[in-house]
Amino acid sequence: DQQVKQNSPSLSVQEGRISILNCDYTNSMFDYFLWYKKYPAEGPTFLISISSIKDKNEDGRFTVFLNKSAKHLSLHIVPSQPGDSAVYFCAASPRRGSQGNLIFGKGTKLSVKP
Amino acid sequence: GAVVSQHPSWVICKSGTSVKIECRSLDFQATTMFWYRQFPKQSLMLMATSNEGSKATYEQGVEKDKFLINHASLTLSTLTVTSAHPEDSSFYICSARDRGLGSNQPQHFGDGTRLSIL
């Protein structure tokens, strides 16, 4: 049973427009959420995170929104650039006191077209 | 930024061979490192949590005698796939957290090891 779900396996966006990647989770014990970006044959690179006490975190072109009641988070990239083309993984971590292991979604492949 | 080095990046070997994969944190100390496996078009699945100076914690369904983990120092964890078979072929990735930064901070990943068993 998947605890972290990324229901869109792929997304195609025009350069300069907004990319919105979605993620849903089922476990209310999760309190820390992260987005990672992954290129082929490389490990995931940390992008941005959000704690459950917040509903928004922004870092440059990247903003993560968290809706705890809906158990939903999203990553907004604006403006999108061709270099953003990669697979984006949503991940969640249980409450403090755990060892911090991450539960990953299956990823969404983003293609930004020039 | 935090750098995690994983070696080797690619291994091709015969069935029955044991393969050791190293994971090093280059500019920080990691009390805890994590080992993941990723099959094609699947998410990263946590295999085990490696703790410096103590036994690893394995996820359900992962054979501890098959996947030996050693975390002998604060900067090095190793995963040994013993007597590897074709079904063990996968992409193995390690990650680590900086122990000096407390909880709720990101894991940093190595570039992974592509293991192909013939």
Side-chain angles (χ1 to χ4, degrees), chain A residues 34-37 45-49 59 62 75 77 88, chain B residues 106:
Chain A
L34 309 91
W35 284 94
Y36 284 85
K37 177 180 178 180
T45 302
F46 170 70
L47 207 53
I48 193 168
S49 65
D59 184 1
F62 302 92
L75 174 68
I77 306 173
Y88 289 78

Side-chain angles (χ1 to χ4, degrees), chain B residues 45-58:
Chain B
M45 298 298 295
L46 180 66
M47 297 175 65
T49 303
S50 170
N51 303 298
E52 186 267 337
S54 65
K55 290 183 179 180
T57 305
Y58 290 82

Side-chain angles (χ1 to χ4, degrees), chain A residues 2 31-32 34 36 38 41-46 49 51 89 93-94 96 98-107, chain B residues 32 34 36 38 41-46 49 51 57 59 91 93 97 103-112 114:
Chain A
Q2 265 194 290
D31 78 337
Y32 182 54
L34 309 91
Y36 284 85
K38 185 179 182 298
E42 293 185 9
T45 302
F46 170 70
S49 65
S51 167
F89 288 94
S93 181
R96 286 175 192 266
S98 74
Q99 289 190 306
N101 52 292
L102 296 177
I103 311 296
F104 282 86
K106 286 189 175 182
Chain B
T32 305
F34 303 88
Y36 294 84
Q38 185 185 25
K41 298 186 179 180
Q42 298 295 315
S43 62
L44 283 77
M45 298 298 295
L46 180 66
T49 303
N51 303 298
T57 305
E59 295 300 300
F91 190 55
I93 313 177
R97 291 192 311 170
S103 60
N104 272 13
Q105 37 104 359
Q107 295 177 20
H108 299 280
F109 285 81
D111 277 343
R114 174 72 60 192

Side-chain angles (χ1 to χ4, degrees), chain B residues 17-113:
Chain B
T17 308
S18 291
V19 178
K20 180 187 277 189
I21 304 169
E22 293 188 349
C23 180
R24 294 180 186 271
S25 55
L26 297 187
D27 51 359
F28 64 98
Q29 292 184 328
T31 310
T32 305
M33 291 185 174
F34 303 88
W35 288 95
Y36 294 84
R37 180 168 53 184
Q38 185 185 25
F39 291 107
K41 298 186 179 180
Q42 298 295 315
S43 62
L44 283 77
M45 298 298 295
L46 180 66
M47 297 175 65
T49 303
S50 170
N51 303 298
E52 186 267 337
S54 65
K55 290 183 179 180
T57 305
Y58 290 82
E59 295 300 300
Q60 192 172 12
V62 178
E63 299 175 55
K64 61 181 181 180
D65 295 329
K66 173 78 172 176
F67 300 98
L68 301 179
I69 291 173
N70 184 280
H71 193 153
S73 77
L74 288 171
T75 59
L76 173 65
S77 175
T78 60
L79 168 68
T80 301
V81 183
T82 61
S83 187
H85 291 286
E87 59 266 27
D88 298 321
S89 298
S90 187
F91 190 55
Y92 293 85
I93 313 177
C94 72
S95 70
R97 291 192 311 170
D98 189 334
R99 75 166 187 164
L101 297 180
S103 60
N104 272 13
Q105 37 104 359
Q107 295 177 20
H108 299 280
F109 285 81
D111 277 343
T113 298

Side-chain angles (χ1 to χ4, degrees), chain A residues 77-113:
Chain A
I77 306 173
V78 55
S80 301
Q81 299 173 354
D84 295 329
S85 298
V87 177
Y88 289 78
F89 288 94
C90 169
S93 181
R95 290 190 191 281
R96 286 175 192 266
S98 74
Q99 289 190 306
N101 52 292
L102 296 177
I103 311 296
F104 282 86
K106 286 189 175 182
T108 297
K109 184 176 183 179
L110 174 66
S111 299
V112 180
K113 301 191 183 307

Side-chain angles (χ1 to χ4, degrees), chain A residues 10-110:
Chain A
S10 63
L11 175 68
S12 183
V13 172
Q14 205 67 33
E15 181 180 6
R17 308 294 285 267
I18 185 170
S19 295
I20 300 176
L21 298 109
N22 293 303
C23 178
D24 297 292
Y25 61 96
T26 57
N27 191 338
S28 58
M29 297 294 285
F30 292 147
D31 78 337
Y32 182 54
F33 304 89
L34 309 91
W35 284 94
Y36 284 85
K37 177 180 178 180
K38 185 179 182 298
Y39 294 115
E42 293 185 9
T45 302
F46 170 70
L47 207 53
I48 193 168
S49 65
I50 188 166
S51 167
S52 60
I53 61 173
K54 294 186 173 181
D55 54 17
K56 177 181 175 181
N57 189 24
E58 191 172 351
D59 184 1
R61 296 186 298 115
F62 302 92
T63 302
V64 55
F65 294 92
L66 175 63
N67 183 334
K68 282 182 63 182
S69 59
K71 293 192 178 69
H72 176 84
L73 66 155
S74 60
L75 174 68
H76 293 211
I77 306 173
V78 55
S80 301
Q81 299 173 354
D84 295 329
S85 298
V87 177
Y88 289 78
F89 288 94
C90 169
S93 181
R95 290 190 191 281
R96 286 175 192 266
S98 74
Q99 289 190 306
N101 52 292
L102 296 177
I103 311 296
F104 282 86
K106 286 189 175 182
T108 297
K109 184 176 183 179
L110 174 66

